[in-house]
Amino acid sequence: MITAENLHKRYGSKNAVDGISFQLQPGKVTGFLGPNGSGKSTTMRMAVGLDRPTSGSITIDGKQFSQHKAPMRTVGAVLDAGATHPGRTGKSHLKVLAATHGISASRVQHVIELTGLGEVAGKRIKGYSLGMNQRLGIAAALLGDPAVLMFDEPVNGLDPEGVRWVRSLARQMAAEGRTVFVSSHLMSEMSQTADHLIVLGRGRIIADAPIQELLNSGEQRVLVRTEQTSDLANALTARDVSISHIDAETLQVTGLDPRSIGRRALEAQVVLHELTPQLTTLEDEYMKLTGDHVEYRSGGAFEEAAQ
Amino acid sequence: MNTTHINTATATPRTFTIDSTLSGVSFLAAARSEFAKLKALRTSWWLSIITVALGVFIAGAVAFSFQQFAADDSAMAGDALQIAIQGQAGSYFAMILLGSLGVIAITTEYSTGAIRSSLTAVPQRFLLLSAKGLALVIWTAAVTAVMVLLSHGLTSIIAEPLSLGDIFDAEIAGMYAASWVSVVLTSLLGFGLGLLLRSSAGGIVILAVIMFVLQMVLSILYGVTGNAAWVEVLMQAEYMNLVDNAVNPNAGEFSMVPALEAWQAYVGLLIWVAVPMTLGALRFSHRDA
Ligand SMILES: Nc1ncnc2c1ncn2[C@@H]1O[C@H](COP(=O)(O)OP(=O)(O)O)[C@@H](O)[C@H]1O
Ligand SMILES: [Mg+2]
């Protein structure tokens, strides 16, 4: 179990992680979602002791990562694909890591096959594609058969087949009772993998909830079409109901379900052409949650330049 | 939703437990891993092969010229110890080459990012560092021993009065051991510099300055200041002067400054090595990787 308590990290004057607390449960895939620069990688680096927290703590089963007797059996982390010596072969990279914990050669061979690196394991890492590097990183993380798996943006550089494979790996590891922590800046990625979501924006937690709850929490919006928009708007006006005019014949109503809208329309003798509930998707929720927290927005100038 | 999706909300919660009988990280295992890293690095092999080849070549060349001089002029013929000392001239190249290996052993981890993998396997930083240091010492000690022995063999074959069996002569063996120790210490000096500077070029340049430039600068300063006492102290404490005093029993004979006792020279060398190592280790253990 990973526990963060009031975790802070400053780089110079920049608050990369700004006082976050959370607890990750075993047996679940916890998604760590946030736009680029929100502090996901920094948090993960602190979890394995690569970066020191400015204040607060992040522990695994109550102990700092470095205090564990068998670190590779405690946490397997895929933090960045490039953390290897390009002159070594994939296999020698894995063997060197395995040697630190007396992990057998057959286990090295096993993770090579598991990650589909059989063909290239004997070649120098220099020639690996981004996808192969990701697989090598995952192989290294799995070497110790760890209780916690941490993947920082694992699908970067993977082909669609690889992406599916990583997803099912994460699910499988969680089903085995391990704690799985996967970061991504893509909502769509998370909705297919995670049971629980921690959403980060500018170094702060803006949501920490089961994914189902996030999906249900969205207020319901209903699209209504009628020629008598002002009559209908008058009939619907109440506290907690907001009405916006989309065009001359279309209203968007929040805070009332379609059934009540239909009934009040009848009472006010308004003819409706359309009455459509709008489902909020997780993606919308994410945009809403992080809307105020995005550090870099795509600027018009950049988009023009890119064309 | 995905068909492989497992509903963990209703499944009985399971917690994976680590088999505590499996081995954890240990110093010896970490050292073995670090040694395997050196072995897998092409640069290690190149630097080591050049060290041995150059050392042996220089020994042969020196022995040959001694033999020539002795034939022309018997007064030029040295004693066995003198020839053995000259035969070790290649150890100066060994120092810079294996010192550079010491620098690279740590800086490549930073330049490639591999340090992050190393630290997720062995997060106790001091343990990782000591394991790296030990692996480096074992490697350079073996390479230097090969160089010293082969150089002795070749010198003794070519030049009279040094013979193969003189390796058991206490004075000669002691000189070889001192030369061997100075090369290994210099590789650790390189390691400390690499750790402190985190830059291959920076580490190697500073090492070369320590080995080749400092002595020259101090000699000039000595002249300019009219043999000032404080410059004399600096000259005595200068790295290559200490090496000379540790290795050469006749040190000081041709030197501008009085010779030191061998133990004093060793203490001085240890301080030279310890300072960058300690500063580097402090930086390594407190900073973000
Ligand atoms: N080593 C570092 N030095 C200085 N700033 C950093 C460093 N690492 C990250 N940052 C900054 O901290 C913030 C969070 O970065 P990061 O954790 O990489 O975010 P994410 O992984 O969510 O994209 C960013 O603004 C980034 O520029
Ligand atoms: Mg990141």
Side-chain angles (χ1 to χ4, degrees), chain B residues 21-179:
Chain B
T21 60
L22 293 172
S23 53
V25 68
S26 71
F27 176 67
L28 270 184
R32 210 172 294 136
S33 159
E34 289 301 329
F35 194 78
K37 265 186 211 168
L38 275 178
K39 241 171 47 180
L41 200 66
R42 282 194 184 181
T43 321
S44 320
W45 290 101
W46 279 117
L47 286 172
S48 303
I49 289 166
I50 295 171
T51 298
V52 172
L54 200 61
V56 172
F57 173 78
I58 290 172
V62 166
F64 189 71
S65 61
F66 251 98
Q67 198 57 14
Q68 293 295 86
F69 277 122
D72 297 348
D73 176 0
S74 56
M76 280 299 289
D79 58 1
L81 177 64
Q82 204 50 48
I83 295 174
I85 291 172
Q86 295 305 319
Q88 290 303 310
S91 67
Y92 291 104
F93 292 98
M95 281 180 196
I96 189 75
L97 290 168
L98 297 181
S100 301
L101 179 62
V103 174
I104 291 166
I106 183 75
T107 53
T108 46
E109 292 242 356
Y110 280 102
S111 60
T112 60
I115 189 72
R116 293 192 292 277
S117 292
S118 306
L119 279 173
T120 41
V122 186
Q124 296 108 313
R125 298 192 177 190
F126 193 71
L127 190 143
L128 180 69
L129 213 54
S130 329
K132 236 182 203 331
L134 179 67
L136 179 71
V137 165
I138 291 174
W139 180 282
T140 53
V143 171
T144 311
V146 169
M147 182 200 72
V148 168
L149 294 177
L150 287 180
S151 300
H152 170 75
L154 192 64
T155 316
S156 63
I157 288 168
I158 297 173
E160 289 291 311
L162 186 68
S163 73
L164 209 54
D166 282 343
I167 187 91
F168 300 112
D169 174 277
E171 233 183 351
I172 291 178
M175 185 276 293
Y176 284 162
S179 168

Side-chain angles (χ1 to χ4, degrees), chain A residues 9-12 14-17 32-45 51 152-153 183-185 200 202-203 295-296, chain B residues 288-289:
Chain A
K9 180 67 187 181
R10 283 178 80 89
Y11 294 110
K14 164 122 206 128
N15 278 313
V17 173
F32 200 24
L33 182 67
N36 286 324
S38 55
K40 305 180 296 293
S41 301
T42 304
T43 304
M44 289 183 155
R45 280 201 307 273
D51 282 18
D152 193 7
E153 312 250 0
S183 84
S184 177
H185 64 282
L200 209 58
R202 288 204 188 168
E295 191 170 13
Y296 311 105
Chain B
D288 295 339

Side-chain angles (χ1 to χ4, degrees), chain A residues 214-246:
Chain A
L214 283 177
L215 276 172
N216 296 341
S217 71
E219 58 212 335
Q220 198 166 32
R221 283 174 293 156
V222 184
L223 199 73
V224 194
R225 279 188 217 278
T226 173
E227 282 156 18
Q228 303 153 268
T229 46
S230 53
D231 294 343
L232 183 64
N234 287 335
L236 296 180
T237 301
R239 269 185 49 184
D240 301 331
V241 176
S242 69
I243 301 165
S244 54
H245 292 257
I246 306 272

